[in-house]
Amino acid sequence: MRRIALHTRLKPGREDEYDDVHATVPAELATAIRAAGVHGWWIWRDGLDLFHLVEVEDYQRMRHELRDHPANIGWQARMATLLDVTDDYSGTDTGLPLVWALPAAPGGATA
């Protein structure tokens, strides 16, 4: 299992629309994402900047599997109207490089 961090950026003025669209992600898309090996996907937004954390078995495989999935094709077309990024869903990217992490405390203690 890998954690992949991603950064995308919204087109100015599309913040509310982006939030609204993500309030109702189609069940078919969620099913396809899980079938492609994703265990969790979180998105945070700071103004126009979007930060994603993806827990996935194999990120490149996931991207390749979703690239031609009908639910994802429609979703990516919709995202293209909102995002200030061109993404061909090739699966060749590797996400953001990890710079630092605080490991969990021994025994699972958090303090």
Side-chain angles (χ1 to χ4, degrees):
M1 180 83 64
R2 293 198 55 211
R3 288 185 183 151
I4 303 293
L6 305 168
H7 172 256
T8 52
R9 189 161 174 83
L10 289 171
K11 293 177 181 176
R14 304 313 286 263
E15 300 92 335
D16 290 340
E17 190 175 355
Y18 182 87
D19 293 353
D20 290 346
V21 168
H22 279 81
T24 55
V25 172
E28 182 184 11
L29 178 61
T31 298
I33 291 170
R34 289 192 185 281
V38 175
H39 291 261
W41 194 317
W42 299 264
I43 304 171
W44 292 264
R45 184 173 63 75
D46 181 21
L48 299 177
D49 292 299
L50 302 166
F51 302 94
H52 308 245
L53 176 62
V54 184
E55 288 184 347
V56 62
E57 293 167 11
D58 181 326
Y59 181 68
Q60 281 73 35
R61 179 178 62 84
M62 178 269 295
R63 297 277 286 192
H64 286 291
E65 286 183 21
L66 291 177
R67 180 183 56 224
D68 298 322
H69 192 286
N72 190 52
I73 290 170
W75 183 259
Q76 293 306 319
R78 179 72 174 107
M79 290 300 103
T81 68
L82 303 174
L83 297 175
D84 193 17
V85 175
T86 302
D87 185 354
D88 64 3
Y89 235 81
S90 66
T92 58
D93 67 295
T94 57
L96 299 172
L98 178 63
V99 176
W100 181 82
L102 177 66
T110 58

